[in-house]
Amino acid sequence: MLRLRSGDPDFARAFARLVKERRESDDNVARDVQTIVEDVRLRGDEALAEYTARFDGHAPADDDWRISPEACREAFDALKPDLRAALELAAERIREYHKAQLPGDRDYTDATGMRLGARWRPVDGAGLYVPGGRAAYPSSLLMNAIPAKVAGVERLVVVTPTPKGEANPLVLAAAHLAGADEVWRVGGAQAVAALAYGTKRIRPVDVITGPGNAWVAEAKRQLFGVVGIDMVAGPSEILVIADAKNDPQWIAADLLSQAEHDPVAQSILITDDAAFADQVADMVGVEIAMLPTAKVAKASWDAHGVIIVVDSLDEAPALANALAAEHVEIATDDPQALFDRIRHAGSVFLGRMTPEAVGDYVAGPNHVLPTGRRARFSSGLSVLDFMKRTSFIAATDAALAAVGPAAVALAEAEGLAAHARSIELRLGI
Amino acid sequence: MLRLRSGDPDFARAFARLVKERRESDDNVARDVQTIVEDVRLRGDEALAEYTARFDGHAPADDDWRISPEACREAFDALKPDLRAALELAAERIREYHKAQLPGDRDYTDATGMRLGARWRPVDGAGLYVPGGRAAYPSSLLMNAIPAKVAGVERLVVVTPTPKGEANPLVLAAAHLAGADEVWRVGGAQAVAALAYGTKRIRPVDVITGPGNAWVAEAKRQLFGVVGIDMVAGPSEILVIADAKNDPQWIAADLLSQAEHDPVAQSILITDDAAFADQVADMVGVEIAMLPTAKVAKASWDAHGVIIVVDSLDEAPALANALAAEHVEIATDDPQALFDRIRHAGSVFLGRMTPEAVGDYVAGPNHVLPTGRRARFSSGLSVLDFMKRTSFIAATDAALAAVGPAAVALAEAEGLAAHARSIELRLGI
């Protein structure tokens, strides 16, 4: 864990180093992924079978690649009642929040008589990657699938690795609840390639979202343009801005809720009280000892945890904007005052009673958020990621007469004679 | 030029080939671009100077890399009055259309007492690539710069190559009119890398948009994630759906207005009348002969032009959806009926008096549109490309008591103990 004080002479340099630090490795991943993607593009299901055997230790029969809707419903029906109710509450709140994101169409006629507008439509098919193993989260399935369904996507395809053939029943239950149309037993870069290019068995989709390891993230990055993707995802992070009036144990738990995700996750505390900083650091030690996820959480906190002691929390917004963190908690009496000055953040959690974890599951806003300072230019997942806009123009004789000559002048200035001609012929000039 | 008839037995296969055809070459471009980008990242301005000398035959003095606001204003003042008025009309109409795209923030309190919402903010800095040479279009500068300024971007940086030191005065004039904050004499993949990573001379930006050649497009693709980009752009295309009541000369001009852009541009006509198809093909020949852009237009039409004769225009929407073209003209008496069935298109031009060129310049909607079937999943440039959304959550004691237990149940099911703990501690459970 790194400790910084904003008053120290070396602070600016140390903070700049923190901002620049990249926790993403990409050494041989890009090349490996390129090979796999090209192989799946050329050989389709045959390549999928080989990679699935190699990476997942699993060779499904020809009719066993797809997990049936019945299997998903059975997994849902088998949930314990409290877990089932929790998933249903989460789904309901996510759906409500995302419904309000549906964009409105435009269709109007301007003063020249020209009709102008824009029309939103969902993509035909969306593919959703769901990791196996440590990061197989049903909440993540809901957060990706529900916005797609709210957008109106007709074909929602889930791909998920099933190591040794074992599917995660919680993921299948969530797939049922979210209304996934197809679930396939494939994972890794090969699954992303199959979704983008299609195979005999799996028809291609138009947009691919969902979290994954470095190979999955790199495959999405490489296939961006062949399909739409949500974002380039990196390791998760949280920035907690807290004064000394907080319970240090609560803040320690918040920092660890990020750290337990991944050894390269990052948790940063900004506080204006050095003694409080010490208390939180101590409580992190106490809390880690209690966690079944202690090994991951400790690795993350030791290598990437940061405590910054500032002279005044007034300094916090500028630091937060430079960090442009995925999650920002503001645990003060008047969090809005600081929030008003924060321009770059994926999602902000206001006040002492809003731990980040509430946003991971049941608050409603999406938990798929920009990482690695990408909140400077990108947003959390929304229904817009599953829709696209078509603009339209309808000119009348009068409208074309009003604006056409200006278009002709510009086309001629740009040396585009046929552009000019297409208007001149209609105007008889 | 390729002629197809939807009634022919081989049509399905030939059309599928057309849909799959890629007009983008990427052989060695990706590797070259990777080298340049890495070089600029490591050596900054020194690398920029070397590439500028090599590719643009130009070695600016240290204080001559930036083109001053005064030089841009002078270029604007020197415009002939009709061209100046045309640029002003275009700018005004583009601004009006894009202002209505500004998204609304959300801030509400739900039944549990939880405050939820989302807040849109512009990115801090946007970089706009403007090509030199054949594709140095002032209209393109307006179409990229104005949405950024409408979004509220404070720092709009234009990069443009000036071969042998010569800047295009129309581009400088448009930069003045659109309110560009900085204009730099650099082009190619090296300029995109400079915008993404920054150099001593040029500060980095957050989003890069604008058209360019294959190297520029590939640099943007590779740097997606380091910065935001508008889209992966490919060669332009138009699909014209026209019945026999149209003047074949008008339709020929429309097809050529796309073809004259680029030898790999594509123009496709769908009509239900074989005789009309012949007339258009003949008029294309006549019109090409008159064009100063004949060489490019002929190369495009010969290699990539397509005429599809269908039995009924009722077949057109399905074909249009498969092609997902950048531009679609519907030149019929009732264009709306066909438009209602078209889901995938960048922009649609309705009726006989709406040539695509009017949308390139003065209609108002953006002319930066998805190409190469990407209208299946992406949209034209808009103010949203220069903004990002931060969601926020503020729970009260009561709200956390209402939804927290469900979050705890889900966190435990996912094996994320610190997530559960951060809520349990606050609820005292």
Side-chain angles (χ1 to χ4, degrees), chain A residues 83 86-87 89-90 93 97 100-101 106 108 110 112 114-119 121 123-124 137-139 170 206-207 221-222 224-229 232 249-250 253-254 256-257 260-261 287 290-293 329 336 339-340 342-350 352-355 357-363 365 374-382 384 387-397 400 403 406-407 409-411 413-419 421-423 425-426, chain B residues 83 86-87 89-90 93 97 100-101 106 108 110 112 114-119 121 123-124 137-139 170 205-207 221-222 224-229 232 249-250 253-254 256-257 260-261 287 290-293 336 339-340 342-350 352-355 357-363 365 374-382 384 387-397 400 403 406-407 409-411 413-419 421-423 425-426:
Chain A
L83 195 52
L87 266 185
L89 178 71
R93 293 184 57 93
Y97 183 86
Q101 291 175 337
R106 296 166 63 196
Y108 65 99
D110 73 11
T112 70
M114 189 178 287
R115 181 176 161 217
L116 296 167
R119 198 164 80 169
R121 288 287 180 274
V123 300
D124 287 345
Y137 300 143
S139 61
L170 277 175
D206 303 298
V207 166
R221 204 189 65 79
Q222 288 187 14
F224 170 57
V226 177
V227 289
I229 67 169
V232 175
Q249 193 177 18
W250 297 11
D254 296 355
L256 289 170
S257 74
E260 73 178 342
H261 269 300
E287 287 283 316
M290 301 171 49
L291 293 177
T293 51
E329 282 186 17
Q336 189 66 35
F339 181 37
D340 285 342
I342 292 180
R343 294 192 311 281
H344 309 310
S347 192
V348 177
F349 304 82
L350 299 162
R352 307 187 200 283
M353 289 302 279
T354 317
V358 79
D360 280 338
Y361 296 110
V362 292
R374 298 189 183 91
R376 289 174 296 127
F377 56 80
S378 65
S379 312
L381 193 71
S382 79
L384 298 183
M387 305 186 78
K388 70 271 176 14
R389 191 184 51 235
T390 298
S391 57
F392 59 86
I393 303 168
T396 57
D397 292 21
L400 193 64
V403 305
L410 290 166
E414 292 185 352
L416 294 173
H419 283 65
R421 190 104 176 114
S422 70
I423 296 169
L425 285 169
R426 285 172 169 86
Chain B
L83 195 52
L87 266 186
L89 178 72
R93 293 183 58 94
Y97 184 85
Q101 291 175 338
R106 297 168 60 198
Y108 65 98
D110 74 9
T112 70
M114 190 178 288
R115 182 178 159 215
L116 296 167
R119 200 164 80 170
R121 289 286 180 274
V123 300
D124 287 345
Y137 300 144
S139 61
L170 277 175
V205 299
D206 303 298
V207 166
R221 203 190 66 80
Q222 288 187 15
F224 171 58
V226 176
V227 290
I229 68 169
V232 176
Q249 193 177 18
W250 297 10
D254 296 355
L256 289 170
S257 73
E260 72 177 344
H261 268 300
E287 287 283 316
M290 302 172 49
L291 293 178
T293 52
Q336 188 66 35
F339 182 38
D340 285 342
I342 292 180
R343 294 191 313 279
H344 309 311
S347 193
V348 177
F349 303 81
L350 299 163
R352 306 187 201 282
M353 289 302 278
T354 316
V358 79
D360 280 339
Y361 295 111
V362 293
R374 297 189 184 89
R376 289 174 296 128
F377 56 81
S378 64
S379 311
L381 193 71
S382 79
L384 297 183
M387 305 185 78
K388 69 270 177 14
R389 191 184 51 234
T390 298
S391 57
F392 59 86
I393 303 167
T396 56
D397 291 22
L400 193 64
V403 304
L410 290 165
E414 292 185 351
L416 295 172
H419 283 64
R421 189 105 177 112
S422 71
I423 296 169
L425 285 169
R426 285 172 169 87

Side-chain angles (χ1 to χ4, degrees), chain A residues 16 54 215:
Chain A
R54 192 193 310 172
W215 281 260

